Amino acid sequence: MQVRNKQARNAYRTGKRLPKGPNGGIQLLLIQSVDSLGKQGDVVEVKPGYARNYLIPQGLATFATDHHRRMVEKHKAQLAELQRQQLAALHDLANVISKAQITIEANANADGHLYGSIGADEIVHALKNEGISISTDQVRLEGPLKELAQYKVRIYLGHEIESNLDVWVVPQSHDE
């Protein structure tokens, strides 16, 4: 049997007792997220067999020592700083999008009904021409845009950050 983590391997080979938790189980620090158990960095208490036979050999967990806990706290602080920076960047992007206006030309009849429709792909392409990069799944349309008009389109950037974009659908110019 191959155990990936050196400390766990030594304990497994020497038959040392695993550190007990307050409820009689084994206290482990999760190296990776495990469904129905916890996220990466959580200290969990599991039954000894589950720890010895699955979590430790698979490299999903290690012993919850003070050293490992300090390392996880340091890592969590770095992740929190990274997330704060990402949120600030998303807020800046939301401000840029809310101030932007895009114009999309489309074929329409005399009544202003489009022969086709404008969807998320066209909006993303128009924004890309303005220097703003988003993906099509971030565009929240009530339905396809089928008439010449001004629309307010919601753009969802993630982490509960949304912005409204002014989209003008105008008749295609026939300069040819």
Side-chain angles (χ1 to χ4, degrees), residues 3-169:
V3 179
R4 296 180 185 166
N5 149 339
K6 186 176 180 182
Q7 183 182 14
R9 185 173 44 241
N10 290 339
Y12 184 79
R13 283 183 186 158
T14 59
K16 285 185 184 174
R17 292 184 132 316
L18 298 173
K20 296 267 184 192
N23 297 326
I26 305 296
Q27 273 195 334
L28 296 176
L29 179 71
L30 293 179
I31 296 172
Q32 296 178 15
S33 296
V34 178
D35 292 339
S36 74
L37 188 58
K39 295 185 216 167
Q40 181 181 17
D42 289 349
V43 175
V44 296
E45 187 172 335
V46 296
K47 292 187 177 184
Y50 188 47
R52 268 194 309 272
N53 298 326
Y54 180 70
L55 293 175
I56 293 172
Q58 294 296 322
L60 300 174
T62 186
F63 297 116
T65 63
D66 290 336
H67 172 70
H68 289 143
R69 288 180 183 165
R70 282 192 307 273
M71 286 176 55
V72 165
E73 290 305 317
K74 185 188 259 187
H75 185 66
K76 281 184 181 179
Q78 290 172 345
L79 286 177
E81 176 62 24
L82 253 169
Q83 187 174 17
R84 188 191 63 74
Q85 290 173 357
Q86 288 174 341
L87 285 175
L90 286 177
H91 281 292
D92 292 344
L93 181 59
N95 288 336
V96 168
I97 290 174
S98 67
K99 294 175 186 172
Q101 291 186 358
I102 61 170
T103 303
I104 299 175
E105 293 183 352
N107 280 336
N109 64 18
D111 295 333
H113 297 288
L114 301 181
Y115 289 120
S117 64
I118 304 295
D121 290 332
E122 291 84 2
I123 293 170
V124 168
H125 182 70
L127 275 174
K128 199 164 282 194
N129 290 340
E130 297 291 321
I132 300 170
S133 180
I134 63 168
S135 64
T136 55
D137 61 330
Q138 292 176 311
V139 177
R140 303 287 196 249
L141 291 173
E142 303 284 324
L145 312 180
K146 295 187 174 194
E147 295 186 5
L148 298 175
Q150 177 188 7
Y151 296 93
K152 289 267 188 203
V153 176
R154 282 188 16 239
I155 307 293
Y156 178 74
L157 299 173
H159 301 286
E160 306 300 322
I161 300 172
E162 287 187 0
S163 184
N164 288 321
L165 172 68
D166 288 328
V167 177
W168 290 87
V169 180

